[in-house]
Amino acid sequence: MRGISAVPSYVILQPTTLCNLDCAYCYLPARKFDRRMPVEVAAATAATVNAWAAERDRFSVVWHGGEPLAAGREHLAALMAPFNGVEHHIQTNATLIDDAWCDFFREHDVHIGLSVDGPEARTALRVDRAGREAYSRIVRGAEALRRHDIPFAALCVVSDPSAELARELYPYFRELGCYALGINIEEHEGVNDRSNAYAEAAVRGFWAELTAQWRTDRAIELRDVEFAIRYAGALLHGDADAILPRQMDPIPTIAHDGAVTLLSPELAGFSSPHYGDFATGNVLHQPLDEIVRRAGEAAWIGEYLRGVEACRAVCPYFGFCGGAHAANRYFEHGRFDGTVTEHCRNSKIHLMEGVLDHAAPQHRGDGR
C-alpha cells in the first residue's frame, strides 16, 4: 500500500456541528454550536460523488458528527437529495430516534450505526450538557429501531479495557440486537486530552476474551476481531499482501462549511501554528475530485506519508495496520512522521496479540 487513491470508497459529511450530548471522551471542538451545512455544500459535494458512485458497485455517504439527527428531518432530507446512486449511512447516539425518524430511515433507505458503550454503568461517560446520563434515551432509540425492523450496527467506545469488560460487552450487544459491532478503544485526539495509555495485559486480555466470546457464539459480526483473524489466516497462507488496498483511502470529510479534510476525519476543524489549517480545500470553491487529486501538495500530508514509510521499515505489524492514522500521530506526538502510537498499540498490535493469545491454547490442546 503506497500513496493515496484518487477515488475514495466513501465520504463523510457533517450536517451540523451540534451534538445534544457532551460525552467525556468526545474529540469534536464545536459540538455545542448548531452550525448547519447549507444545501449548497451538499450539492457541490454530490457533483463529484455522483460521478464516483456511477463507476462503483457501492459508494457510501456517511453523515457524522456532531449528532446528525440534530439537523432535523427536513434539513437532512434536503442535504441528501442531491446524491444519486449512493448508500446513506448515519452514525447516531440514538437519543433522538423515534417513530418519525424510523419512517425517515425507511423512506431514504438509511443504514444506521448506533453509538453505545455497553450496559448502563459502562455507558456513564455518555451524558448531556446537564451531566445527565443518556443511557435510557439511547435504549429507547434502539427499541424504536427494533420495533420498526430497522437493522443497525453498533459502535462501542472502550475506556477501561479488560477481560471482565469483554465478558460483559458481547452478550450485551447480542441482546441489544445489532448485526455488527465495532470497538473503539478510547483515543487521545481532538479536544479529548484523556490518556489512552493502558496496560498491555489489560488490552490483550480484552481482545482475547472478546475473541473467545465471539468464537462461542458468532451471532454478531465482530469487525475488528474478524479482520485480525482474516489477516492472520492470509499470513499463514502467504497472501496477506492482498488484504489491504493498494493505496490509502483519502476519506474526504466535508465540514458544515464545505471545508475538506483528508485521511483523518478527527482532524476536521483543527489547525496548528506549525501546519496551519488541516483542511486542503473547500467544495464551494474547488471540485472535490480535484481536492483529492492534489492531496500530496499539503505539507502535513507529505510528512504523514513519510511517517507511513517509517512504519513500513520498522514495524512487523505494518501489513495488518498500513501505518498509524494521521490524527493519532498528530494528537499523540505533535507531528505526522512519528511511528507507533498508543492507538497502534491498543487497536492494532494488542488486538492481533489478543486474538493470537486466544488461539494459542486451542492449538496446544489439539496437538498443533
Side-chain angles (χ1 to χ4, degrees), residues 356-368:
L356 296 178
D357 288 344
H358 167 72
Q362 297 188 24
H363 287 174
R364 288 195 294 268
D366 63 12
R368 286 183 285 172

Side-chain angles (χ1 to χ4, degrees), residues 289-351:
D289 54 350
E290 180 181 329
I291 294 172
V292 173
R293 281 197 306 269
R294 298 177 62 182
E297 296 179 12
W300 74 264
I301 291 179
E303 183 177 293
Y304 167 68
L305 293 175
R306 291 192 294 275
V308 170
E309 292 308 307
C311 284
R312 189 194 306 272
V314 302
C315 183
Y317 293 87
F318 181 83
F320 174 55
C321 171
H325 295 300
N328 298 113
R329 291 175 190 263
Y330 175 72
F331 288 115
E332 290 193 29
H333 297 321
R335 54 185 303 113
F336 292 97
D337 55 1
T339 53
V340 67
T341 63
E342 293 296 341
H343 174 70
C344 291
R345 295 184 180 97
N346 295 332
S347 298
K348 300 295 182 180
I349 296 171
H350 297 330
L351 163 61

Side-chain angles (χ1 to χ4, degrees), residues 111-178:
H111 299 250
I112 299 298
L114 182 155
S115 299
V116 61
D117 302 335
E120 186 169 6
R122 301 293 189 176
T123 305
L125 296 179
R126 291 187 180 270
V127 297
D128 62 20
R129 301 205 181 282
R132 296 171 298 201
E133 294 183 11
Y135 182 76
S136 62
R137 285 168 280 173
I138 296 171
V139 170
R140 282 200 300 270
E143 289 171 348
L145 292 171
R146 293 198 303 269
R147 189 166 61 248
H148 286 263
D149 294 320
I150 296 175
F152 61 92
L155 182 64
C156 170
V157 175
V158 169
S159 300
D160 55 348
S162 67
E164 177 186 2
L165 175 60
R167 284 190 286 271
E168 290 183 44
L169 289 186
Y170 192 81
Y172 171 83
F173 282 102
R174 191 189 193 290
E175 183 67 21
L176 187 68
C178 61

Side-chain angles (χ1 to χ4, degrees), residues 201-278:
V203 181
R204 288 178 68 159
F206 170 80
W207 288 117
E209 183 59 32
L210 198 62
T211 304
Q213 294 282 322
W214 175 78
R215 290 285 297 272
T216 300
D217 175 16
R218 303 187 189 188
I220 301 173
E221 177 189 341
L222 196 55
R223 292 173 175 170
D224 309 275
V225 167
E226 291 188 49
F227 182 73
I229 291 172
R230 180 184 169 206
Y231 180 81
L235 196 63
L236 289 172
H237 289 92
D239 56 359
D241 193 47
I243 298 296
L244 291 178
R246 297 296 87 197
Q247 293 181 303
M248 293 178 195
D249 197 310
I251 318 176
T253 298
I254 295 86
H256 71 284
D257 59 357
V260 180
T261 305
L262 302 177
L263 297 174
S264 282
E266 298 84 0
L267 289 172
F270 287 93
S271 62
S272 83
H274 180 69
Y275 299 102
D277 193 334
F278 291 124

Side-chain angles (χ1 to χ4, degrees), residues 6-8 11 47-56 59 252 288-290 292:
V7 179
V11 298
T48 293
V49 166
N50 291 345
W52 283 337
E55 299 176 354
R56 296 287 186 96
F59 194 97
L288 181 57
D289 54 350
E290 180 181 329
V292 173

